[in-house]
C-alpha cells in the first residue's frame, strides 16, 4: 500500500520538510515506522473514497529517529492525493550517538 502513496518519502525527505533544515542528508521511511492513525470512508459504505491519516517516524543511519510527521491522503478510484502534511516534532539532538552527529547541520 505504501508504495502506491506518492509524496510520502519526498515530503519527509526534504521536499518541504522541516527536517531538511536540520539534517545534512535525507531521512528514510520504513513501512514498520508508519502507523495508520485514522481511516474514514467519505461516502459511508458506498464507493471507494477514503481519507487516510498516517503517523510517520522518519529515520537516518541505523534507525535513529528524526521526528514525527502526519500525512493525510484522499484515496479514491481517481488516484491518491496528499491533503495535509503536518510536521509534529523535529529531530532531538540527544538521540544521535556521537559518531552520527555529522548527520546534523
Amino acid at each position: 500500500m505504501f508504495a502506491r502513496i506518492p509524496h510520502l518519502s519526498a515530503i519527509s525527505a526534504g521536499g518541504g520538510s522541516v527536517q531538511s533544515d536540520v539534517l545534512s542528508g535525507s531521512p528514510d521511511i520504513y513501512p514498520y515506522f508508519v502507523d495508520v492513525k485514522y481511516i474514514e470512508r467519505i461516502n459511508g459504505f458506498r464507493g471507494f473514497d477514503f481519507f487516510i491519516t498516517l503517523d510517520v517516524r522518519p529515520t537516518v543511519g541505523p534507525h535513529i529517529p528524526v521526528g514525527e510527521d502526519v500525512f493525510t491522503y484522499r484515496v479514491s478510484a481517481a488516484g491518491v492525493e496528499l491533503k495535509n502534511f503536518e510536521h509534529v516534532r523535529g529531530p532531538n539532538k540527544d538521540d544521535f550517538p556521537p559518531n552520527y552527529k555529522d548527520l546534523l547541520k
Side-chain angles (χ1 to χ4, degrees), residues 7-8 11-12 17 19 29 33-38 52-58 67-73 82-89:
H7 316 292
L8 193 59
I11 288 177
S12 200
S17 174
Q19 296 159 347
I29 296 175
F33 287 133
V34 176
D35 294 324
V36 177
K37 196 172 181 180
Y38 182 73
I52 299 177
T53 302
L54 303 174
D55 186 44
V56 178
R57 289 171 309 285
E68 183 178 0
D69 297 326
V70 176
F71 294 85
T72 301
Y73 289 95
L82 179 66
K83 292 305 243 179
N84 188 32
F85 168 73
E86 178 185 354
H87 181 72
V88 178
R89 61 183 170 89

mmCIF file of all heavy atoms in Angstrom, residues 7-8 11-12 17 19 29 33-38 52-58 67-73 82-89:
data_model
loop_
_atom_site.group_PDB
_atom_site.id
_atom_site.type_symbol
_atom_site.label_atom_id
_atom_site.label_comp_id
_atom_site.label_asym_id
_atom_site.label_seq_id
_atom_site.Cartn_x
_atom_site.Cartn_y
_atom_site.Cartn_z
ATOM 1 N N HIS A 7 4.544 11.061 -2.549
ATOM 2 C CA HIS A 7 4.884 12.170 -1.664
ATOM 3 C C HIS A 7 5.368 11.740 -0.286
ATOM 4 O O HIS A 7 5.926 12.550 0.414
ATOM 5 C CB HIS A 7 3.715 13.144 -1.431
ATOM 6 C CG HIS A 7 2.940 13.508 -2.637
ATOM 7 N ND1 HIS A 7 3.470 14.261 -3.647
ATOM 8 C CD2 HIS A 7 1.681 13.221 -3.004
ATOM 9 C CE1 HIS A 7 2.552 14.431 -4.582
ATOM 10 N NE2 HIS A 7 1.458 13.807 -4.222
ATOM 11 N N LEU A 8 5.160 10.507 0.119
ATOM 12 C CA LEU A 8 5.495 10.115 1.481
ATOM 13 C C LEU A 8 6.979 10.325 1.749
ATOM 14 O O LEU A 8 7.355 11.016 2.681
ATOM 15 C CB LEU A 8 5.089 8.663 1.722
ATOM 16 C CG LEU A 8 5.092 8.179 3.159
ATOM 17 C CD1 LEU A 8 4.145 9.002 4.005
ATOM 18 C CD2 LEU A 8 4.699 6.723 3.236
ATOM 19 N N ILE A 11 8.246 14.332 0.738
ATOM 20 C CA ILE A 11 7.981 15.421 1.686
ATOM 21 C C ILE A 11 8.811 15.251 2.937
ATOM 22 O O ILE A 11 9.461 16.169 3.401
ATOM 23 C CB ILE A 11 6.484 15.492 2.032
ATOM 24 C CG1 ILE A 11 5.735 16.019 0.828
ATOM 25 C CG2 ILE A 11 6.242 16.386 3.225
ATOM 26 C CD1 ILE A 11 4.250 16.071 0.993
ATOM 27 N N SER A 12 8.833 14.063 3.480
ATOM 28 C CA SER A 12 9.568 13.862 4.711
ATOM 29 C C SER A 12 11.072 13.902 4.480
ATOM 30 O O SER A 12 11.827 14.235 5.370
ATOM 31 C CB SER A 12 9.169 12.540 5.351
ATOM 32 O OG SER A 12 9.512 12.550 6.703
ATOM 33 N N SER A 17 10.055 19.574 3.931
ATOM 34 C CA SER A 17 10.105 19.158 5.323
ATOM 35 C C SER A 17 10.923 20.116 6.166
ATOM 36 O O SER A 17 11.889 20.704 5.716
ATOM 37 C CB SER A 17 10.703 17.754 5.410
ATOM 38 O OG SER A 17 10.874 17.388 6.741
ATOM 39 N N GLN A 19 12.661 18.976 8.509
ATOM 40 C CA GLN A 19 13.858 18.203 8.807
ATOM 41 C C GLN A 19 15.013 18.532 7.877
ATOM 42 O O GLN A 19 16.165 18.374 8.252
ATOM 43 C CB GLN A 19 13.534 16.706 8.736
ATOM 44 C CG GLN A 19 12.544 16.309 9.797
ATOM 45 C CD GLN A 19 11.823 15.032 9.460
ATOM 46 O OE1 GLN A 19 11.878 14.563 8.339
ATOM 47 N NE2 GLN A 19 11.126 14.490 10.433
ATOM 48 N N ILE A 29 12.089 6.397 5.239
ATOM 49 C CA ILE A 29 10.813 6.000 5.829
ATOM 50 C C ILE A 29 10.630 4.514 5.569
ATOM 51 O O ILE A 29 10.651 4.071 4.419
ATOM 52 C CB ILE A 29 9.644 6.796 5.224
ATOM 53 C CG1 ILE A 29 9.807 8.264 5.566
ATOM 54 C CG2 ILE A 29 8.316 6.276 5.750
ATOM 55 C CD1 ILE A 29 8.780 9.152 4.921
ATOM 56 N N PHE A 33 7.658 1.811 10.466
ATOM 57 C CA PHE A 33 7.603 3.037 11.260
ATOM 58 C C PHE A 33 6.479 3.952 10.793
ATOM 59 O O PHE A 33 6.503 5.160 11.022
ATOM 60 C CB PHE A 33 8.935 3.792 11.209
ATOM 61 C CG PHE A 33 10.031 3.137 12.010
ATOM 62 C CD1 PHE A 33 11.286 2.963 11.465
ATOM 63 C CD2 PHE A 33 9.803 2.707 13.304
ATOM 64 C CE1 PHE A 33 12.300 2.377 12.195
ATOM 65 C CE2 PHE A 33 10.811 2.114 14.036
ATOM 66 C CZ PHE A 33 12.070 1.940 13.489
ATOM 67 N N VAL A 34 5.503 3.390 10.100
ATOM 68 C CA VAL A 34 4.320 4.125 9.649
ATOM 69 C C VAL A 34 3.104 3.478 10.295
ATOM 70 O O VAL A 34 2.887 2.273 10.158
ATOM 71 C CB VAL A 34 4.184 4.084 8.108
ATOM 72 C CG1 VAL A 34 2.904 4.772 7.667
ATOM 73 C CG2 VAL A 34 5.390 4.732 7.448
ATOM 74 N N ASP A 35 2.340 4.274 11.038
ATOM 75 C CA ASP A 35 1.120 3.783 11.675
ATOM 76 C C ASP A 35 -0.085 4.436 11.022
ATOM 77 O O ASP A 35 -0.065 5.639 10.750
ATOM 78 C CB ASP A 35 1.105 4.112 13.170
ATOM 79 C CG ASP A 35 2.184 3.379 13.933
ATOM 80 O OD1 ASP A 35 2.472 2.219 13.588
ATOM 81 O OD2 ASP A 35 2.738 3.967 14.882
ATOM 82 N N VAL A 36 -1.107 3.639 10.780
ATOM 83 C CA VAL A 36 -2.363 4.184 10.274
ATOM 84 C C VAL A 36 -3.102 4.745 11.484
ATOM 85 O O VAL A 36 -3.478 4.013 12.392
ATOM 86 C CB VAL A 36 -3.206 3.106 9.560
ATOM 87 C CG1 VAL A 36 -4.533 3.686 9.111
ATOM 88 C CG2 VAL A 36 -2.442 2.549 8.379
ATOM 89 N N LYS A 37 -3.261 6.048 11.491
ATOM 90 C CA LYS A 37 -3.865 6.737 12.627
ATOM 91 C C LYS A 37 -5.389 6.776 12.519
ATOM 92 O O LYS A 37 -6.093 6.645 13.513
ATOM 93 C CB LYS A 37 -3.300 8.154 12.668
ATOM 94 C CG LYS A 37 -3.483 8.895 13.928
ATOM 95 C CD LYS A 37 -2.687 10.199 13.851
ATOM 96 C CE LYS A 37 -2.805 10.979 15.114
ATOM 97 N NZ LYS A 37 -2.056 12.215 15.046
ATOM 98 N N TYR A 38 -5.890 6.983 11.294
ATOM 99 C CA TYR A 38 -7.324 7.158 11.116
ATOM 100 C C TYR A 38 -7.688 6.880 9.661
ATOM 101 O O TYR A 38 -6.973 7.279 8.756
ATOM 102 C CB TYR A 38 -7.711 8.597 11.481
ATOM 103 C CG TYR A 38 -9.175 8.907 11.382
ATOM 104 C CD1 TYR A 38 -10.076 8.430 12.312
ATOM 105 C CD2 TYR A 38 -9.660 9.691 10.344
ATOM 106 C CE1 TYR A 38 -11.426 8.724 12.219
ATOM 107 C CE2 TYR A 38 -10.999 9.993 10.239
ATOM 108 C CZ TYR A 38 -11.882 9.499 11.183
ATOM 109 O OH TYR A 38 -13.215 9.793 11.090
ATOM 110 N N ILE A 52 -7.185 8.858 4.623
ATOM 111 C CA ILE A 52 -6.292 8.032 5.433
ATOM 112 C C ILE A 52 -5.254 8.947 6.062
ATOM 113 O O ILE A 52 -4.581 9.712 5.375
ATOM 114 C CB ILE A 52 -5.600 6.952 4.582
ATOM 115 C CG1 ILE A 52 -6.639 6.021 3.972
ATOM 116 C CG2 ILE A 52 -4.597 6.176 5.425
ATOM 117 C CD1 ILE A 52 -6.055 4.965 3.068
ATOM 118 N N THR A 53 -5.124 8.866 7.379
ATOM 119 C CA THR A 53 -4.137 9.654 8.110
ATOM 120 C C THR A 53 -3.051 8.712 8.608
ATOM 121 O O THR A 53 -3.337 7.720 9.281
ATOM 122 C CB THR A 53 -4.792 10.394 9.291
ATOM 123 O OG1 THR A 53 -5.831 11.227 8.776
ATOM 124 C CG2 THR A 53 -3.776 11.248 10.030
ATOM 125 N N LEU A 54 -1.803 9.032 8.257
ATOM 126 C CA LEU A 54 -0.652 8.212 8.615
ATOM 127 C C LEU A 54 0.263 8.968 9.557
ATOM 128 O O LEU A 54 0.565 10.143 9.340
ATOM 129 C CB LEU A 54 0.135 7.823 7.361
ATOM 130 C CG LEU A 54 -0.628 7.090 6.270
ATOM 131 C CD1 LEU A 54 0.262 6.923 5.044
ATOM 132 C CD2 LEU A 54 -1.115 5.751 6.771
ATOM 133 N N ASP A 55 0.721 8.289 10.597
ATOM 134 C CA ASP A 55 1.708 8.829 11.525
ATOM 135 C C ASP A 55 3.052 8.213 11.135
ATOM 136 O O ASP A 55 3.215 6.993 11.170
ATOM 137 C CB ASP A 55 1.321 8.456 12.956
ATOM 138 C CG ASP A 55 2.216 9.092 13.978
ATOM 139 O OD1 ASP A 55 2.517 10.289 13.825
ATOM 140 O OD2 ASP A 55 2.618 8.394 14.933
ATOM 141 N N VAL A 56 4.009 9.051 10.740
ATOM 142 C CA VAL A 56 5.273 8.586 10.172
ATOM 143 C C VAL A 56 6.427 9.032 11.061
ATOM 144 O O VAL A 56 6.481 10.186 11.494
ATOM 145 C CB VAL A 56 5.460 9.164 8.745
ATOM 146 C CG1 VAL A 56 6.783 8.721 8.159
ATOM 147 C CG2 VAL A 56 4.311 8.756 7.853
ATOM 148 N N ARG A 57 7.356 8.093 11.315
ATOM 149 C CA ARG A 57 8.561 8.410 12.072
ATOM 150 C C ARG A 57 9.784 8.142 11.191
ATOM 151 O O ARG A 57 10.288 7.019 11.136
ATOM 152 C CB ARG A 57 8.607 7.572 13.346
ATOM 153 C CG ARG A 57 7.560 8.014 14.357
ATOM 154 C CD ARG A 57 7.405 7.086 15.537
ATOM 155 N NE ARG A 57 7.206 5.681 15.229
ATOM 156 C CZ ARG A 57 6.062 5.144 14.767
ATOM 157 N NH1 ARG A 57 5.022 5.904 14.539
ATOM 158 N NH2 ARG A 57 5.972 3.858 14.533
ATOM 159 N N PRO A 58 10.258 9.183 10.477
ATOM 160 C CA PRO A 58 11.430 9.012 9.609
ATOM 161 C C PRO A 58 12.696 8.749 10.436
ATOM 162 O O PRO A 58 12.782 9.148 11.599
ATOM 163 C CB PRO A 58 11.543 10.335 8.866
ATOM 164 C CG PRO A 58 10.416 11.174 9.298
ATOM 165 C CD PRO A 58 9.718 10.518 10.421
ATOM 166 N N GLY A 67 12.178 12.588 14.203
ATOM 167 C CA GLY A 67 10.957 13.358 14.332
ATOM 168 C C GLY A 67 9.714 12.550 14.057
ATOM 169 O O GLY A 67 9.742 11.317 14.039
ATOM 170 N N GLU A 68 8.637 13.285 13.836
ATOM 171 C CA GLU A 68 7.342 12.670 13.567
ATOM 172 C C GLU A 68 6.568 13.569 12.617
ATOM 173 O O GLU A 68 6.548 14.782 12.783
ATOM 174 C CB GLU A 68 6.576 12.496 14.875
ATOM 175 C CG GLU A 68 5.251 11.811 14.730
ATOM 176 C CD GLU A 68 4.560 11.636 16.073
ATOM 177 O OE1 GLU A 68 5.099 12.034 17.111
ATOM 178 O OE2 GLU A 68 3.451 11.089 16.060
ATOM 179 N N ASP A 69 5.959 12.955 11.613
ATOM 180 C CA ASP A 69 5.154 13.674 10.638
ATOM 181 C C ASP A 69 3.793 12.994 10.527
ATOM 182 O O ASP A 69 3.670 11.796 10.755
ATOM 183 C CB ASP A 69 5.812 13.669 9.253
ATOM 184 C CG ASP A 69 7.150 14.378 9.235
ATOM 185 O OD1 ASP A 69 7.293 15.367 9.972
ATOM 186 O OD2 ASP A 69 8.036 13.955 8.479
ATOM 187 N N VAL A 70 2.770 13.785 10.179
ATOM 188 C CA VAL A 70 1.426 13.249 9.961
ATOM 189 C C VAL A 70 1.000 13.617 8.543
ATOM 190 O O VAL A 70 1.035 14.784 8.161
ATOM 191 C CB VAL A 70 0.417 13.798 10.997
ATOM 192 C CG1 VAL A 70 -0.978 13.309 10.694
ATOM 193 C CG2 VAL A 70 0.828 13.397 12.403
ATOM 194 N N PHE A 71 0.631 12.606 7.757
ATOM 195 C CA PHE A 71 0.174 12.784 6.388
ATOM 196 C C PHE A 71 -1.303 12.414 6.319
ATOM 197 O O PHE A 71 -1.702 11.395 6.874
ATOM 198 C CB PHE A 71 0.923 11.850 5.435
ATOM 199 C CG PHE A 71 2.386 12.138 5.303
ATOM 200 C CD1 PHE A 71 3.301 11.612 6.202
ATOM 201 C CD2 PHE A 71 2.852 12.910 4.260
ATOM 202 C CE1 PHE A 71 4.652 11.857 6.073
ATOM 203 C CE2 PHE A 71 4.203 13.162 4.118
ATOM 204 C CZ PHE A 71 5.107 12.638 5.023
ATOM 205 N N THR A 72 -2.096 13.209 5.630
ATOM 206 C CA THR A 72 -3.488 12.862 5.357
ATOM 207 C C THR A 72 -3.666 12.798 3.848
ATOM 208 O O THR A 72 -3.372 13.772 3.150
ATOM 209 C CB THR A 72 -4.461 13.884 5.972
ATOM 210 O OG1 THR A 72 -4.241 13.929 7.381
ATOM 211 C CG2 THR A 72 -5.901 13.490 5.703
ATOM 212 N N TYR A 73 -4.137 11.646 3.369
ATOM 213 C CA TYR A 73 -4.343 11.409 1.949
ATOM 214 C C TYR A 73 -5.811 11.177 1.658
ATOM 215 O O TYR A 73 -6.540 10.652 2.499
ATOM 216 C CB TYR A 73 -3.575 10.152 1.491
ATOM 217 C CG TYR A 73 -2.092 10.334 1.458
ATOM 218 C CD1 TYR A 73 -1.308 9.959 2.533
ATOM 219 C CD2 TYR A 73 -1.475 10.867 0.341
ATOM 220 C CE1 TYR A 73 0.070 10.110 2.497
ATOM 221 C CE2 TYR A 73 -0.107 11.028 0.296
ATOM 222 C CZ TYR A 73 0.657 10.647 1.380
ATOM 223 O OH TYR A 73 2.005 10.806 1.337
ATOM 224 N N LEU A 82 -2.390 14.009 -1.729
ATOM 225 C CA LEU A 82 -1.993 14.481 -0.415
ATOM 226 C C LEU A 82 -2.861 15.669 -0.040
ATOM 227 O O LEU A 82 -2.887 16.673 -0.738
ATOM 228 C CB LEU A 82 -0.517 14.882 -0.422
ATOM 229 C CG LEU A 82 0.031 15.417 0.896
ATOM 230 C CD1 LEU A 82 0.026 14.321 1.958
ATOM 231 C CD2 LEU A 82 1.432 15.958 0.698
ATOM 232 N N LYS A 83 -3.584 15.570 1.061
ATOM 233 C CA LYS A 83 -4.474 16.643 1.503
ATOM 234 C C LYS A 83 -3.837 17.513 2.575
ATOM 235 O O LYS A 83 -4.091 18.710 2.632
ATOM 236 C CB LYS A 83 -5.790 16.068 2.053
ATOM 237 C CG LYS A 83 -6.648 15.414 0.999
ATOM 238 C CD LYS A 83 -6.921 16.351 -0.126
ATOM 239 C CE LYS A 83 -8.366 16.647 -0.267
ATOM 240 N NZ LYS A 83 -8.644 17.578 -1.336
ATOM 241 N N ASN A 84 -3.020 16.907 3.442
ATOM 242 C CA ASN A 84 -2.432 17.679 4.536
ATOM 243 C C ASN A 84 -1.123 17.032 4.970
ATOM 244 O O ASN A 84 -1.004 15.814 5.010
ATOM 245 C CB ASN A 84 -3.406 17.744 5.718
ATOM 246 C CG ASN A 84 -2.930 18.692 6.792
ATOM 247 O OD1 ASN A 84 -2.287 19.693 6.511
ATOM 248 N ND2 ASN A 84 -3.251 18.383 8.031
ATOM 249 N N PHE A 85 -0.135 17.869 5.259
ATOM 250 C CA PHE A 85 1.131 17.424 5.821
ATOM 251 C C PHE A 85 1.399 18.255 7.065
ATOM 252 O O PHE A 85 1.322 19.481 7.028
ATOM 253 C CB PHE A 85 2.276 17.613 4.816
ATOM 254 C CG PHE A 85 3.634 17.445 5.434
ATOM 255 C CD1 PHE A 85 4.085 16.194 5.790
ATOM 256 C CD2 PHE A 85 4.439 18.533 5.670
ATOM 257 C CE1 PHE A 85 5.329 16.030 6.373
ATOM 258 C CE2 PHE A 85 5.690 18.398 6.242
ATOM 259 C CZ PHE A 85 6.131 17.129 6.597
ATOM 260 N N GLU A 86 1.687 17.586 8.165
ATOM 261 C CA GLU A 86 1.965 18.291 9.423
ATOM 262 C C GLU A 86 3.240 17.728 10.030
ATOM 263 O O GLU A 86 3.370 16.518 10.220
ATOM 264 C CB GLU A 86 0.798 18.103 10.385
ATOM 265 C CG GLU A 86 1.005 18.755 11.733
ATOM 266 C CD GLU A 86 -0.129 18.444 12.696
ATOM 267 O OE1 GLU A 86 -1.119 17.819 12.300
ATOM 268 O OE2 GLU A 86 0.014 18.826 13.865
ATOM 269 N N HIS A 87 4.190 18.597 10.306
ATOM 270 C CA HIS A 87 5.414 18.203 10.996
ATOM 271 C C HIS A 87 5.154 18.366 12.486
ATOM 272 O O HIS A 87 5.011 19.479 12.980
ATOM 273 C CB HIS A 87 6.584 19.066 10.533
ATOM 274 C CG HIS A 87 7.864 18.701 11.189
ATOM 275 N ND1 HIS A 87 8.537 17.536 10.889
ATOM 276 C CD2 HIS A 87 8.581 19.322 12.147
ATOM 277 C CE1 HIS A 87 9.627 17.476 11.636
ATOM 278 N NE2 HIS A 87 9.668 18.540 12.399
ATOM 279 N N VAL A 88 5.080 17.258 13.209
ATOM 280 C CA VAL A 88 4.708 17.282 14.620
ATOM 281 C C VAL A 88 5.886 17.656 15.499
ATOM 282 O O VAL A 88 5.775 18.526 16.367
ATOM 283 C CB VAL A 88 4.117 15.924 15.050
ATOM 284 C CG1 VAL A 88 3.769 15.922 16.520
ATOM 285 C CG2 VAL A 88 2.902 15.593 14.202
ATOM 286 N N ARG A 89 7.006 16.988 15.292
ATOM 287 C CA ARG A 89 8.191 17.319 16.084
ATOM 288 C C ARG A 89 9.433 17.007 15.274
ATOM 289 O O ARG A 89 9.404 16.176 14.367
ATOM 290 C CB ARG A 89 8.204 16.584 17.416
ATOM 291 C CG ARG A 89 8.222 15.091 17.321
ATOM 292 C CD ARG A 89 8.149 14.443 18.710
ATOM 293 N NE ARG A 89 7.944 13.024 18.569
ATOM 294 C CZ ARG A 89 8.929 12.141 18.457
ATOM 295 N NH1 ARG A 89 10.184 12.537 18.476
ATOM 296 N NH2 ARG A 89 8.679 10.863 18.322
#
